[in-house]
Amino acid sequence: MGESGKEVKIQYYVLFPNHEAGIKLYRLLKAQGIRTQISPTPRAASKCCGISLLVKDELLLDDIRKCIEENEIEIIDIVALEVDINRTRDRYC
């Protein structure tokens, strides 16, 4: 629970030095049935390459790390961030 008493939801982002590494990992994980999503890299996570892989299930992280290691994919880090959805952001009416 967060400070406001609400449940805090965490998402994980795999950060890459370049988009080729991100696409390669995405394809390998997809072939293994591991669900991730290509996402813009959140500024709160890094100012690195423009794409990251979004992982919504913490239980998948060990399998993802194993795939990264086995395939020698270069990553910068795996970062945990609180879900920050503001449905009124950029609303003008």
Side-chain angles (χ1 to χ4, degrees), residues 24-78:
K24 181 178 179 181
L25 180 59
Y26 175 76
R27 289 180 177 155
L28 288 165
L29 294 172
K30 186 175 180 180
Q32 294 180 23
I34 298 173
R35 187 176 170 140
T36 62
Q37 180 178 344
I38 295 174
S39 172
T41 302
R43 287 188 182 144
S46 177
K47 291 177 177 57
C48 67
C49 168
I51 72 160
S52 61
L53 289 187
L54 171 61
V55 181
K56 294 183 180 181
D57 186 350
E58 181 180 12
L59 300 176
L60 297 175
L61 292 177
D62 286 339
D63 292 332
I64 292 169
R65 286 185 180 102
K66 183 178 177 184
C67 183
I68 291 166
E69 186 177 316
E70 288 175 351
N71 293 282
E72 299 179 354
I73 297 175
E74 186 178 359
I75 68 165
I76 294 173
D77 201 359
I78 298 176

Side-chain angles (χ1 to χ4, degrees), residues 5-16:
K6 294 181 182 178
E7 182 179 342
V8 175
K9 293 184 182 180
I10 302 294
Q11 296 182 125
Y12 301 87
Y13 292 87
V14 183
L15 308 177
F16 302 95

